[in-house]
């Protein structure tokens, strides 16, 4: 029997957000009582809260919206590669120890705790994305808000991930 392991962080008021992005907030819109049969909350958050997948439309004018993407690349065997304290850019040398018999999905773990400030988070070097692509990796995930540094204006790693094989 196959199991699905959900490694998504909790989404709540402690969730880290991309620098300058909208923080999570929640308030009771309707309250259960004599005049109301239900509790209904209003939630405000950025799409970058918690675990997320960037839609190609997020960084490419001709990209697809997230609702049109096939879910198959997101489901299946993966390898988690620990790259804790590897600096601002995860270089290929930080992952080479884990590339033998690599499955088609890779998750890069960079942080010690899921709920933290994203100030100074680790991103991926372009060469690391190239290396994974050369090994036919279908999906690359990170536990940070972006595969590119927060200051990046051209998003090279995002665009490399968009390219078909």
């Amino acid at each position: 029997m196959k199991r699905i392991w959900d490694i998504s962080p909790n989404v709540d008021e402690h969730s880290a957000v991309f620098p300058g992005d909208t923080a999570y907030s929640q308030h009771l819109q309707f309250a259960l009582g004599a005049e109301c049969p239900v509790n209904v909350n209003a939630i405000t958050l950025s799409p970058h809260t918690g675990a997320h997948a960037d839609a190609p439309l997020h960084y490419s004018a001709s990209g697809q919206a997230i609702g049109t993407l096939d879910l198959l690349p997101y489901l299946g065997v993966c390898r988690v590669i620990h790259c804790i304290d590897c600096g601002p850019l995860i270089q290929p040398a930080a992952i080479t120890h884990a590339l033998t018999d690599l499955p088609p999905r890779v998750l890069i773990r960079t942080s010690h705790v899921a709920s933290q400030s994203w100030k100074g988070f680790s991103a991926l070097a372009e060469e690391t994305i190239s290396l994974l692509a050369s090994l036919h990796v279908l999906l690359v995930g990170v536990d940070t808000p972006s595969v590119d540094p927060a200051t990046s204006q051209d998003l090279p790693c995002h665009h490399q991930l968009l390219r078909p094989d």
Side-chain angles (χ1 to χ4, degrees), residues 1 4 43 53 57 65-66 72 74 80 87 92 99 115 120-121 126 129:
M1 180 169 122
I4 294 177
I43 298 172
L57 183 59
I66 197 71
L72 191 58
Y74 300 94
V80 177
L99 300 182
S115 181
F121 67 85
E126 292 178 66
I129 296 291

Side-chain angles (χ1 to χ4, degrees), residues 22 32 44 67 69-70 73 90 101-102 104-105 109 120 129 137 141-142:
T22 304
L32 184 64
T44 302
L69 298 179
D70 186 358
I90 307 298
D101 298 321
L102 197 62
R105 294 159 195 87
R109 181 174 183 234
I129 296 291
V137 170
V142 293

Side-chain angles (χ1 to χ4, degrees), residues 6-149:
D6 183 0
I7 61 169
S8 304
N10 290 334
V11 173
D12 58 27
E13 65 277 1
H14 304 292
S15 298
V17 296
F18 191 82
D21 215 339
T22 304
Y24 174 96
S25 67
Q26 176 179 332
H27 71 274
L28 197 58
Q29 188 74 25
F30 301 109
L32 184 64
E35 300 295 317
C36 185
V38 294
N39 284 319
V40 176
N41 285 291
I43 298 172
T44 302
L45 66 133
S46 163
H48 287 107
T49 305
H52 69 279
D54 280 340
L57 183 59
H58 175 55
Y59 52 91
S60 172
S62 62
Q64 290 179 270
I66 197 71
T68 65
L69 298 179
D70 186 358
L71 289 178
L72 191 58
Y74 300 94
L75 302 171
V77 177
C78 75
R79 175 159 304 146
V80 177
I81 303 175
H82 287 227
C83 295
I84 297 169
D85 297 327
C86 287
L89 285 178
I90 307 298
Q91 299 292 338
I95 66 169
T96 55
H97 69 281
L99 300 182
T100 305
D101 298 321
L102 197 62
R105 294 159 195 87
V106 170
L107 301 177
I108 307 288
R109 181 174 183 234
T110 68
S111 58
H112 295 282
V113 281
S115 181
Q116 66 179 32
S117 165
W118 289 126
K119 187 176 182 178
F121 67 85
S122 295
L124 300 179
E126 292 178 66
E127 299 82 9
T128 303
I129 296 291
S130 295
L131 173 60
L132 292 170
S134 74
L135 297 170
H136 307 289
V137 170
L138 178 65
L139 177 97
V140 177
V142 293
D143 61 354
T144 65
S146 180
V147 292
D148 287 298

